[in-house]
Amino acid sequence: IGCDRSKNLVDICGEKNFQAFVGDALSVPIRSGSCDACISIAVIHHFSTAERRLAAIRELVRLLRPGGTALIYVWAMEQEYKNQKSKYLKEKHGSKDKEEEINSGVGQRLLNDQKPDSSSQDSACSDRLLDDSQGKDCGAKPVADSRLPVHTNRTSFHSQDLLVPWHLKGGTKKRGESVDTVLFPAASKESQELSPVFHRYYHVFCEGELEAACRSLDCVRVQKNYYDQGNWCVVLEKL
């Protein structure tokens, strides 16, 4: 059974006769201890605080029966590891016209309706991209300058907290439009001339960070911690 925050993605699953529902990773409407295994791929790195990322892991563990296992994948800060570049960096020099998929490793196959913007033309807009990240319930403290760096596609990460720009493929395609905030109003002149631009928040994990978060939970045993094509990955067991 799958769950996703995006109704559009859940609808795609329904069209393919898969079981899926709309849900929140911090509050999954499934009975505690009812799952043999859970998988979280390219999700937890989108939460904006360490507390929320830990809460997402704790919620995943809540769903597991004792002895159940979970697999977690998140983007790694280290896109070059043990002298090997990740697939994400290796594809930097591909054709600009070729459809690109932003997520590295396993995550690459998850979102293929969009492609990232490899230019830096949207960096000037980064100061107005976080309006929806300071929700009423997140408890975030106001800061003097809330702007985050806008990542340049297919390059190494220079900050753990950043925004990745996307261009919606096809411009007017509706599927996936609800994933993030469009910079230009639908009726504006800019929206007619440019494809909608989306900026997704990422917290890329340093080596050991995901494992440490998992080990901080009393009811968890980390079975495996490894690096896979630009991702940090953990397999854990509920005790």
Side-chain angles (χ1 to χ4, degrees), residues 15 32 55 96 135 151 183 187 204:
E15 293 169 2
S32 298
K96 292 183 179 180
H151 178 62
L183 292 183
V204 289

Side-chain angles (χ1 to χ4, degrees), residues 29-50:
I30 293 180
R31 187 176 71 251
S32 298
S34 60
C35 298
D36 295 314
C38 294
I39 299 175
S40 174
I41 304 293
V43 173
I44 293 175
H45 56 216
H46 289 301
F47 287 108
S48 59
T49 67

Side-chain angles (χ1 to χ4, degrees), residues 94 129 201 227:
L129 300 174
Y201 168 83
Y227 180 89

Side-chain angles (χ1 to χ4, degrees), residues 11-18:
D11 287 344
I12 294 172
C13 292
E15 293 169 2
K16 297 183 178 182
N17 296 318
F18 294 128

Side-chain angles (χ1 to χ4, degrees), residues 37 76 84 86 91 96 106 113 117 143 147 150 159 163-164 180 189 193 195 201 205 225:
Q84 294 290 326
S86 70
E91 293 183 354
K96 292 183 179 180
V106 171
D113 280 334
D117 174 25
V143 292
R147 290 176 295 181
V150 176
S159 171
L163 299 171
V164 176
D180 293 290
K189 181 179 179 181
E193 297 175 351
S195 298
Y201 168 83
F205 282 66
N225 175 67

Side-chain angles (χ1 to χ4, degrees), residues 36 38 57-58 60-61 64 67-72 210 213-215 217 219-225 233-239:
D36 295 314
C38 294
I57 298 172
R58 184 180 293 113
L60 201 66
V61 173
L64 293 172
T69 57
L71 169 66
I72 302 172
L210 176 62
C214 293
R215 291 188 184 279
L217 301 177
C219 58
V220 162
R221 181 173 69 89
V222 174
Q223 291 183 335
K224 190 177 182 181
N225 175 67
C233 320
V234 161
V235 177
L236 59 82
E237 177 187 2
K238 183 175 182 177
L239 302 177

